[in-house]
Amino acid sequence: PGRMSIKYGVRIARASKDIRAGEWVHLHNIRSVYDERSSHLDVMTERPRIPDMSRRQAMDNLKREYSWMGYVRKNGAMGIRNKVLVIYTVECASFVAREIVRLAGDPETEVVGFSGCTDNEYAVRLLIALIRHPNVGAVLTVGLGCEYVQPEWLADIAGKEGKEAAWMFIQQEGGTRKTIEKGLAVVGLMRERLKDTKRKPMGIRDLIIGAECGGSDYTSGLAGNVVVGRFFDRLTDWEERPFLRKSWRP
């Protein structure tokens, strides 16, 4: 024990027990000199070993420790938030939408939108994805009527998802001030109705976790990538199968 293990001329580990000539060298008889965590991995599965208890018992303990009450949507999905999303469908309506959210003074009411007034497939897909997100419980869309992405169309999608939905044209409401006043009333009513959203216990396994690399500068390797890596290590400890997608940039 203690003697160095060398592979292709590189010192990779120290022996944790006697190793006979021709014997299989793996996690059961060596300890990495680079990562101490490898000494706690199961030989066959290469997952972390959990001493003094079965894996099922350990996972049950983690499930109890990392669980909370989620918000159940009509399609069965669960969210960790219960937000009202105010969407502007053209830049000319952004001020009204932002004022509605600002005056609402509620951290669970947020604003997003598309500044263009032409067809933009990426923007349309993004807005629809946000509407369908399980953290969103209600949607209010605000527009002018001349834009390609119509507020009524987005509100209809939200309604089909079983979410509280409403839409407004600024001109039809009588201008900026009246639209803001009505928007505040609509948001207030939505927030009251969302208080009745069905709740259900949820945990790590109920989450969909997306990870993105940093800006490919020197700080990514120092901080961002390290944090994501450690977080994914924790997820694999919980028998999850996370994935990370990175676009290739020349």
Side-chain angles (χ1 to χ4, degrees), residues 114 119-128:
F114 173 52
D119 183 9
N120 186 305
E121 182 183 357
Y122 173 78
V124 171
R125 286 167 43 213
L126 177 62
L127 292 175
I128 292 175

Side-chain angles (χ1 to χ4, degrees), residues 206-222:
D206 299 307
L207 296 178
I208 299 175
I209 301 173
E212 181 178 287
C213 75
S216 293
D217 59 6
Y218 69 94
T219 61
S220 298
L222 293 174

Side-chain angles (χ1 to χ4, degrees), residues 115-248:
S115 58
C117 58
T118 57
D119 183 9
N120 186 305
E121 182 183 357
Y122 173 78
V124 171
R125 286 167 43 213
L126 177 62
L127 292 175
I128 292 175
L130 289 173
I131 289 172
R132 290 173 172 167
H133 197 287
N135 283 347
V136 174
V139 175
L140 169 63
T141 56
V142 183
L144 289 178
C146 58
E147 62 270 31
Y148 176 82
V149 182
Q150 291 287 297
E152 182 179 6
W153 177 55
L154 294 179
D156 184 59
I157 292 175
K160 290 178 179 178
E161 292 291 317
K163 301 183 179 186
E164 294 286 331
W167 63 277
M168 298 186 298
F169 280 144
I170 295 174
Q171 296 97 321
Q172 292 181 1
E173 301 302 330
T176 296
R177 181 175 297 177
K178 290 185 177 180
T179 307
I180 293 173
E181 291 174 352
K182 181 175 179 178
L184 284 169
V186 171
V187 167
L189 180 61
M190 287 178 168
R191 291 242 54 91
E192 284 298 314
R193 290 177 175 174
L194 287 181
K195 291 180 180 179
D196 296 327
T197 303
K198 182 180 178 181
R199 306 293 299 272
K200 182 179 178 181
M202 64 181 297
I204 297 295
R205 290 182 178 275
D206 299 307
L207 296 178
I208 299 175
I209 301 173
E212 181 178 287
C213 75
S216 293
D217 59 6
Y218 69 94
T219 61
S220 298
L222 293 174
N225 294 346
V226 178
V227 172
V228 172
R230 292 290 186 177
F231 178 56
F232 275 21
D233 285 344
R234 180 63 62 87
L235 290 177
T236 55
D237 288 348
W238 290 329
E239 294 190 330
E240 293 298 315
R241 293 178 179 265
F243 63 92
L244 173 66
R245 182 182 183 275
K246 173 170 172 55
S247 299
W248 170 256

Side-chain angles (χ1 to χ4, degrees), residues 7-45:
K7 182 177 182 179
Y8 302 126
V10 179
R11 298 181 178 185
I12 62 170
R14 291 185 180 276
S16 58
K17 59 178 64 175
D18 289 336
I19 303 176
R20 300 189 303 274
E23 185 179 351
W24 181 37
V25 177
H26 198 42
L27 300 172
H28 65 295
N29 54 17
I30 60 173
R31 177 185 295 269
S32 172
V33 295
Y34 299 106
D35 190 346
E36 286 295 320
R37 292 173 300 169
S38 66
S39 303
H40 306 289
L41 300 178
D42 184 87
V43 176
M44 301 306 297
T45 65

